[in-house]
Amino acid sequence: MTPHSPAEWLPIIELCDSITADLPRLVPDIVEVIRRDVPGYHVVDPDEHIAGVTEQYRGLLVGLTTRRPPSPDESERARALGRLRAREGVSMQSLIGAYHVGYREMWNVLLTRADARNPQLAAQLVRLVGTVWTWVQQATTAAADAYGEAIRADDAAQLALTFRFFDALVAGGAASVDLDQLAHGVAFDPGGEFQAVCSPADSWSDDSLAELRTAMGRSRGTLRCVNQGTTMIALLQHIPAAALIDEMRRRQPEVPIGIGSIRHGLPGAAASIIDAKQVVPIAVQTGGIAHFDNEWLLATVLPHADRLAAVLEPGRAPAANHPELAETVRHFAQHGMSLAATGRALHIHPNTVKYRLDRWHALTGWDVHTWNGLSRSMIGLAQPPNA
């Protein structure tokens, strides 16, 4: 239990008062520890950081001497700090971590100075750990709640603007000056380079996209991503597509991903989105990643599959009935039309590769050693089964 008589309580009051008077000397060192131990706090202005921590400690020390939790005003200051850190781009984890490190360091100061004065005073102080924990809990809860509200509000505003931007970009119906303004509104340079990444929308909930935006928000460039119809569209500027793909695969290891070409200006951004959309079906079939730079032929031809159905029909039944032949054809194309390299990839003898390719030729009439035969084979194999 905590001490109640004035005589018992006076040493605690004197201890807290002495530390309060010494805060100008103590706080800069503690802030240095916070900035060293908590990632992301380098973006916070050092002077503002010191002022904020000093104010927190003054409240805590008064709270200890009066044995009370944070006041409504003090809780509101914690909320204001949470909103500020959200605007500065500090992560929620770093915000909470900074509070814990800061309160830990102050608790160590209290214990050290109490023990130096009187070992019994340190024992009295330990009885106040519940009060200290209440301050930690209420301050971090208030800051985290306000942080989340600020992030959600900003995300909602950015999402609305992003939808408008993507609609105008893909539709191409807005005046160029309006599109330029929308691009600036979502932090894109209209004259810069863009690259799009797309994926099936049913793999990405609103919450998972919000997490993806938050994770990539620590990058120096700009990412905007939304679900539009059946497709998740992400548009990047000054962020390597590989960084986004790594983050996507960390969350969804098997998700199909289509990557557009890097293109210049807002017309290029629209074209890159089309690129990425067109290779998503290829990525779905392979269960992997399809890049327009590599799959441009299939991506360009497949949207016309209905018109080409008669031309590609000879390969449908053989591919369905002999999947090992289809797999061999694919690997043959991927490995430079080399029997030996295809055999190594499939762990079969080159003679077996030759037999399968000859069998495919016999069933389809398509000789994969020729451009016509190989292109028909690859386009036919890329068609969805029900096309």
Side-chain angles (χ1 to χ4, degrees):
M1 59 184 291
T2 57
H4 290 288
S5 69
E8 289 178 307
W9 196 248
L10 185 59
I12 295 288
I13 295 174
E14 291 176 344
L15 172 66
C16 290
D17 286 347
S18 70
I19 294 176
T20 298
D22 205 19
L23 285 178
R25 186 184 66 82
L26 291 170
V27 172
D29 290 341
I30 293 176
V31 164
E32 187 176 335
V33 173
I34 295 172
R35 297 172 77 88
R36 183 195 69 206
D37 291 356
V38 181
Y41 256 70
H42 63 278
V43 302
V44 177
D45 177 76
D47 292 336
E48 179 267 312
H49 197 180
I50 289 171
V53 171
T54 300
E55 186 176 55
Q56 291 168 27
Y57 287 165
R58 287 188 191 279
L60 171 66
L61 293 166
V62 170
L64 289 178
T65 61
T66 56
R67 289 168 287 179
R68 65 162 177 82
S71 68
D73 285 345
E74 287 160 340
S75 292
E76 181 51 41
R77 283 196 289 272
R79 289 180 60 81
L81 183 66
R83 290 190 289 268
L84 175 62
R85 295 293 179 255
R87 290 195 300 271
E88 292 171 329
V90 175
S91 70
M92 171 81 81
Q93 183 179 4
S94 293
L95 172 66
I96 302 303
Y99 266 105
H100 281 276
V101 172
Y103 278 114
R104 180 197 71 198
E105 293 300 307
M106 177 47 65
W107 180 245
N108 288 338
V109 169
L110 283 160
L111 284 176
T112 300
R113 293 204 175 187
D115 192 57
R117 289 186 174 209
N118 184 341
Q120 291 183 343
L121 179 58
Q124 284 183 325
L125 187 64
V126 169
R127 297 174 189 169
L128 291 173
V129 69
T131 302
V132 174
W133 175 246
T134 297
W135 274 78
V136 175
Q137 187 179 42
Q138 292 191 14
T140 54
T141 298
D145 285 348
Y147 181 101
E149 291 169 4
I151 290 293
R152 287 191 292 274
D154 182 66
D155 201 40
Q158 284 293 317
L159 266 180
L161 205 55
T162 299
F163 274 114
R164 287 181 57 199
F165 173 63
F166 279 0
D167 284 343
L169 188 65
V170 175
S176 60
V177 63
D178 295 333
L179 197 52
D180 283 358
Q181 290 173 353
L182 285 172
H184 284 300
V186 289
F188 283 125
D189 170 13
E193 289 187 333
F194 294 86
Q195 188 168 23
V197 173
C198 291
S199 185
D202 57 11
S203 298
W204 301 97
S205 66
D206 290 343
D207 287 343
S208 62
L209 282 183
E211 291 174 2
L212 193 62
R213 286 190 292 268
T214 299
M216 296 303 297
R218 294 188 284 272
S219 304
R220 285 188 163 183
T222 301
L223 162 74
R224 294 289 176 255
C225 58
V226 295
N227 281 332
Q228 279 198 328
T230 60
T231 307
M232 186 279 277
I233 303 173
L235 192 62
L236 304 166
Q237 190 169 72
H238 305 309
I239 297 176
L244 173 61
I245 291 165
D246 286 346
E247 200 64 46
M248 291 170 68
R249 279 298 171 94
R250 192 171 69 81
R251 289 168 165 73
Q252 303 272 10
E254 304 298 326
V255 68
I257 298 172
I259 307 169
S261 296
I262 297 173
R263 298 181 183 269
H264 186 79
L266 294 177
S272 188
I273 291 174
I274 294 172
D275 293 346
K277 281 184 171 182
Q278 286 187 334
V279 292
V280 167
I282 299 170
V284 170
Q285 284 196 10
T286 61
I289 298 171
H291 201 304
F292 186 82
D293 286 352
N294 300 327
E295 306 289 353
W296 60 270
L297 176 60
L298 291 178
T300 304
V301 170
L302 285 181
H304 306 285
D306 290 343
R307 185 181 174 197
L308 298 174
V311 176
L312 302 176
E313 181 62 28
R316 186 180 299 278
N321 298 331
H322 304 280
E324 77 285 358
L325 302 185
E327 182 184 35
T328 304
V329 171
R330 289 193 185 96
H331 278 275
F332 183 67
Q334 292 166 3
H335 291 85
M337 303 174 70
S338 165
L339 297 178
T342 303
R344 286 194 296 271
L346 293 174
H347 305 292
I348 58 177
H349 195 277
N351 287 342
T352 304
V353 175
K354 183 179 184 305
Y355 168 79
R356 290 182 180 180
L357 297 181
D358 289 344
R359 180 68 174 151
W360 176 259
H361 186 189
L363 291 172
T364 64
W366 299 339
D367 182 358
V368 295
H369 297 282
T370 68
W371 162 250
N372 185 52
L374 185 59
S375 60
R376 284 193 184 204
S377 298
M378 294 305 294
I379 295 169
L381 291 174
Q383 287 189 106
N386 57 354

